[in-house]
Amino acid sequence: MIGVTENLRIVSDLLHSAATEAGRDPAGVRLLAVSKKQPVEKIREMAACGQRDFGENFVQEGVAKIEALADLDLTWHFIGHLQSNKTRIVAEYFDWVHTIDKLKTARRLSQQRPDDLPPLNVCLQVNVDDEDSKSGASPAAVPELAAACAELPGLRLRGLMCLPAIRDDFEDQRRPFAQLRELRDRVRQAGVEMDTLSMGMTADYRAAIFEYATIVRIGTALFGARNGKAG
Ligand SMILES: *Cc1c(COP(=O)(O)O)cnc(C)c1O
């Protein structure tokens, strides 16, 4: 045993308590285990404890793990920045992409999704609070982008994702997540269906759950620090 079993139990309990505290059904919060820079053995151990969803940020690393673990029934989420020359391999290997911020990327993924696979689940990454960040669509652009993505046959639009700057204070942490939730509601009111809010990481999962996250993306609390990162 490598030791992630206990971490998985602790994190699952934390998510469960946060949901209960927020007055939500804990079953409505899905844990996405962020396995970037973690070895295949740890993923295998976690899968043996029932964890199904894993997230990767780098295409080559993710594909190598998907191939190495092909004997397991896992769901793979691409959560890194997606360059347009890497869309084909992502469309062929992954089940979800959380980081769509341009129609061009969405169109390529839709065209390149193999016919024998179900549509690729996608979330639009929204730049909710950080004007300097290069990733994410601006909130104003999201309704139109969502409507266009919903029409693409190779994709299934699931929702919105954000990666806000880290804040220490709980109420400050909630603000960008609340913005994402309100944006989701606006898009829904315009008639575009979405069931997912992908938000919250190790440092701010609790605030995200209070703002109705349906997927929280947790790395450090499950696997420990990644290579090259202290603590
Ligand atoms: C690395 C990463 C995470 C997980 O972060 P932790 O702080 O380790 O929980 C979540 N989402 C994205 C997009 C990431 O790149």
Side-chain angles (χ1 to χ4, degrees):
M1 196 178 101
I2 305 156
V4 292
T5 301
E6 179 66 1
N7 291 350
L8 178 61
R9 197 188 58 73
I10 291 169
V11 168
S12 301
D13 285 352
L14 287 171
L15 299 185
H16 195 285
S17 318
T20 307
E21 219 187 316
R24 301 184 52 195
D25 177 1
V29 180
R30 178 166 169 183
L31 171 60
L32 173 51
V34 177
S35 46
K36 64 180 175 212
K37 300 195 179 163
Q38 300 293 348
V40 159
E41 297 71 38
K42 285 192 186 180
I43 301 174
R44 203 172 268 288
E45 182 184 335
M46 212 169 271
C49 301
Q51 176 63 27
R52 284 287 157 269
D53 291 281
F54 291 90
E56 290 285 335
N57 290 61
F58 307 102
V59 176
Q60 296 308 327
E61 179 188 338
V63 166
K65 288 175 185 171
I66 292 169
E67 286 185 331
L69 296 164
D71 57 309
L72 303 176
D73 182 23
L74 302 179
T75 300
W76 290 96
H77 300 244
F78 186 76
I79 62 170
H81 178 65
L82 184 52
Q83 294 166 279
S84 53
N85 62 340
K86 300 273 177 66
T87 51
R88 180 175 299 279
I89 191 158
V90 168
E92 287 172 355
Y93 278 84
F94 284 83
D95 304 294
W96 284 68
V97 174
H98 290 234
T99 47
I100 306 272
D101 60 3
K102 285 188 212 72
L103 186 54
K104 185 180 162 214
T105 316
R107 283 207 181 107
R108 290 175 68 104
L109 287 169
S110 176
Q111 275 161 9
Q112 293 166 345
R113 182 68 168 171
D115 289 336
D116 58 332
L117 294 179
L120 183 65
N121 297 288
V122 298
C123 291
L124 308 180
Q125 182 175 358
V126 186
N127 189 351
V128 275
D129 72 336
D130 181 2
E131 285 161 26
D132 296 336
S133 145
K134 278 173 287 172
S135 296
S138 74
V142 167
E144 205 179 315
L145 181 58
C149 287
E151 298 299 319
L152 294 172
L155 306 186
R156 180 173 170 208
L157 178 66
R158 298 300 298 264
L160 304 180
M161 176 272 204
C162 70
L163 187 55
I166 292 296
R167 298 163 169 83
D168 295 329
D169 180 73
F170 180 72
E171 292 304 325
D172 290 343
Q173 289 177 352
R174 284 182 70 160
R175 213 161 297 129
F177 297 142
Q179 262 178 275
L180 198 72
R181 175 173 52 74
E182 286 158 13
L183 187 56
R184 190 267 324 258
D185 293 344
R186 233 179 299 148
V187 173
R188 269 185 178 166
Q189 277 156 19
V192 178
E193 216 177 304
M194 296 197 291
D195 62 9
T196 299
L197 283 176
S198 166
M199 58 190 197
M201 330 200 298
T202 295
D204 54 14
Y205 72 87
R206 209 169 144 267
I209 288 173
F210 271 70
E211 294 299 342
Y212 296 89
T214 63
I215 296 182
V216 292
R217 310 179 308 266
I218 308 278
T220 309
L222 284 173
F223 291 103
R226 293 177 280 274
N227 291 343
K229 194 173 139 190

